[in-house]
Amino acid sequence: MSDAATPMPEPAADLLAATPETAYFWGRVVGDGDLSRDCVTVRAADATAADALAAVAGTARTDRDHQVAERESAHDASIVRFEDEYELTVFGAPAERAAAALGLPIDDQPGGYRLDAFADHRPQLIRGILEACGTVCFRESSASVGVSFVHDDAACLETVRSLLDAAEPHAPTEDLSETSSGGYWFGLADAADVEEVARWLYAGSDASGLYSDSRRGKLRRSVERATGREVGSLAE
């Protein structure tokens, strides 16, 4: 992480208006959030992302938002990790409006995931989804980077696959598979240029503050191990 203070995004005048900030916010909600009639809940795994989400929502984050969560691996239920988790709650009309406008599931009802409104801010949207429900690893066997998305809702992941398919640069994906815990997952295909995709996803993130420092750092380190050279912060 840079020694310079991470800039904070400005509060959104309207959380449903399409901007880079709201695209990132709703991407995080799609990946690891919940909607009820009068509340949006969104989670983050580090303070950098939690602060950015709170800033976009125009609310304040407190120490009570932080806990250490126990999580099973999506691919092997016998593996349990303990991770930081920051939970942010936004009360009021945005929940029902998002359910109607974006097709997000509300009160455990099925979602339609109509995310075309953010087509002009696709990197920020997918960045938010990746940070919320994605995994990044360096694969020793092939000296390559593995990037996958994991979610309980197959319809959500099919939407993410469509977003990646329409992205520039193109990011080919594998088909959906079931996880050992009953959810679903897919990964970027071997033909995907992960470094190119990573630079596209995180371009401008230093200036905007819309990123998870821990997730961006892990992706950068994995790309560097795979390429054998320094790649910078990925934010240029």
Side-chain angles (χ1 to χ4, degrees):
M1 186 173 180
S2 170
D3 291 335
T6 301
M8 282 294 102
E10 292 295 321
D14 180 352
L15 274 176
L16 271 296
T19 68
E21 292 78 14
T22 57
Y24 179 75
F25 180 89
W26 291 112
R28 299 289 313 218
V29 174
V30 167
D32 190 11
D34 303 293
L35 273 66
S36 63
R37 292 296 167 188
D38 60 354
C39 177
V40 177
T41 301
V42 60
R43 302 171 188 88
D46 66 27
T48 307
D51 287 341
L53 293 169
V56 173
T59 188
R61 189 175 64 77
T62 70
D63 291 340
R64 293 191 302 274
D65 301 330
H66 180 215
Q67 63 177 338
V68 178
E70 179 179 318
R71 293 182 182 272
E72 291 182 353
S73 168
H75 305 296
D76 185 347
S78 67
I79 299 175
V80 177
R81 302 188 305 274
F82 294 89
E83 300 177 341
D84 286 324
E85 182 177 276
Y86 297 82
E87 187 170 280
L88 176 71
T89 303
V90 181
F91 294 98
E96 285 195 287
R97 291 179 61 212
L102 305 178
L104 302 189
I106 187 169
D107 289 333
D108 297 322
Q109 297 299 309
Y113 300 100
R114 299 183 298 274
L115 304 177
D116 290 346
F118 300 116
D120 290 340
H121 312 293
R122 196 181 303 268
Q124 293 84 2
L125 177 66
I126 299 177
R127 183 193 310 162
I129 297 172
L130 173 65
E131 292 180 355
C133 69
T135 62
V136 175
C137 67
F138 174 73
R139 297 181 291 206
E140 296 278 359
S141 59
S142 58
S144 62
V145 182
V147 176
S148 59
F149 295 79
V150 184
H151 204 280
D152 290 338
D153 190 343
C156 173
L157 292 185
E158 288 293 3
T159 299
V160 179
R161 290 185 69 213
S162 296
L163 290 170
L164 288 165
D165 186 60
E168 183 63 44
H170 177 54
T173 62
E174 300 167 337
D175 293 334
L176 257 62
S177 300
E178 291 190 19
T179 69
S180 60
S181 56
Y184 303 89
W185 74 280
F186 74 89
L188 293 186
D190 290 342
D193 185 332
V194 177
E195 180 181 354
E196 186 179 27
V197 173
R199 290 189 183 281
W200 174 76
L201 281 175
Y202 281 96
S205 54
D206 269 350
S208 71
L210 301 169
Y211 67 95
S212 161
D213 187 60
S214 60
R215 182 53 56 88
R216 190 180 72 176
K218 186 173 183 179
L219 180 57
R220 174 185 56 77
R221 292 190 298 273
S222 296
V223 170
E224 287 182 339
R225 291 184 68 185
T227 61
R229 56 182 173 77
E230 293 187 2
V231 299
S233 70
L234 301 177
E236 291 82 6

